[in-house]
Amino acid sequence: MRKRTRRQLQGGGTAAAVIAVVWMAGNWAAVWPVLVTVLAVSVAGGAGWFLLRAHRRAVGQDRQWREQDEAKARELTMTEVDALSWQDFEKYIAGLCRRDGCTKVIVSGKSGDLGADVVGYLPDGRKLVIQCKKYAPHRSVSSQDMQKFVGTARLEHGADVALFVTTCRAFTRDALGLAVRQDIVALHRDLLGSWAKGARLETLIPLNGSGGGTRRPPAP
């Protein structure tokens, strides 16, 4: 039954193809413009699809090259930052805050500051408290480091936005988890590099931890 059905279908298909060819030959004057149009549309569609793929590939490569160039530029800047002393690093962070419109920016510049290396006010009036850790790039910020800052940023200094910024590449999982739970903005080396290259502080604050704080007027 299956073989007979297959033969019938093949025979029917062949007969239909012969009829179509005969009909097209008898009506060629009316058929050929349609065939030419269909062929032209197919060629144009194929060319358009090919050009679209080539464009997307070029855009993707260009984006990748730009990201690589930006990463190299950030790292070049971070090489300069790595050469700073820890005191100059705190002053450098304060300078970035002022560049982004922060006011009343103060640098502690001494030990025993209870985690408030830089203090100031964001343009919208929120109090900003920053802990600066100048570590080697291969190091990680530990949970103990984060715990100390969590314990002082708001209770001791009344921070609306608490920012932990470091020159190392990562926070440990526990440190980052604590930062997220306690609304601490954790800014590692790559994000610091973006900040140094012109990214605004207000765009970096939401990236690690919530750390939004509440709006209020600056202190007199």
Side-chain angles (χ1 to χ4, degrees):
M1 289 293 293
R2 291 181 180 178
K3 290 183 179 179
R4 184 164 58 250
T5 302
R6 189 181 303 115
R7 290 196 192 97
Q8 290 174 348
L9 289 174
Q10 290 175 346
T14 302
V18 171
I19 293 172
V21 170
V22 171
W23 181 86
M24 290 174 61
N27 298 272
W28 183 247
V31 170
W32 76 262
V34 176
L35 291 178
V36 170
T37 301
V38 171
L39 179 61
V41 170
S42 300
V43 171
W49 177 80
F50 176 79
L51 291 175
L52 179 61
R53 284 197 62 185
H55 172 71
R56 288 178 176 174
R57 189 183 306 115
V59 170
Q61 291 176 344
D62 180 70
R63 183 183 301 112
Q64 183 178 6
W65 291 333
R66 288 177 183 273
E67 290 174 352
Q68 290 174 350
D69 288 342
E70 290 174 359
K72 290 178 181 177
R74 285 198 305 268
E75 195 56 35
L76 178 62
T77 300
M78 289 307 299
T79 300
E80 298 170 354
V81 172
D82 288 337
L84 298 174
S85 66
W86 66 266
Q87 296 95 334
D88 288 336
F89 177 58
E90 293 179 1
K91 294 176 183 177
Y92 178 76
I93 295 300
L96 292 178
C97 292
R98 295 188 185 99
R99 183 202 71 187
D100 291 347
C102 295
T103 58
K104 300 183 180 180
V105 179
I106 300 173
V107 181
S108 169
K110 61 182 180 180
S111 59
D113 53 20
L114 297 179
D117 296 321
V118 178
V119 177
Y121 290 87
L122 292 167
D124 61 11
R126 289 176 294 174
K127 187 175 183 179
L128 175 67
V129 176
I130 303 178
Q131 167 79 86
C132 303
K133 285 294 184 185
K134 190 173 179 297
Y135 285 160
H138 66 273
R139 287 190 58 181
S140 298
V141 174
S142 68
S143 177
Q144 288 77 11
D145 289 332
M146 188 61 70
Q147 288 175 23
K148 292 177 183 177
F149 187 50
V150 166
T152 60
R154 290 185 171 83
L155 293 178
E156 293 290 337
H157 306 294
D160 293 313
V161 176
L163 177 65
F164 196 120
V165 58
T166 181
T167 52
C168 64
R169 296 190 182 281
F171 293 80
T172 64
R173 187 192 312 179
D174 290 341
L176 189 56
L178 182 60
V180 172
R181 294 193 301 274
Q182 298 297 326
D183 294 345
I184 305 295
V185 183
L187 215 65
H188 53 65
R189 184 181 183 85
D190 290 341
L191 293 177
L192 174 58
S194 296
W195 191 15
K197 291 301 293 182
R200 305 281 296 182
L201 179 57
E202 61 198 39
T203 67
L204 297 173
I205 286 175
L207 297 183
N208 274 330
S210 49
T214 55
R215 297 176 184 273
R216 68 178 185 181

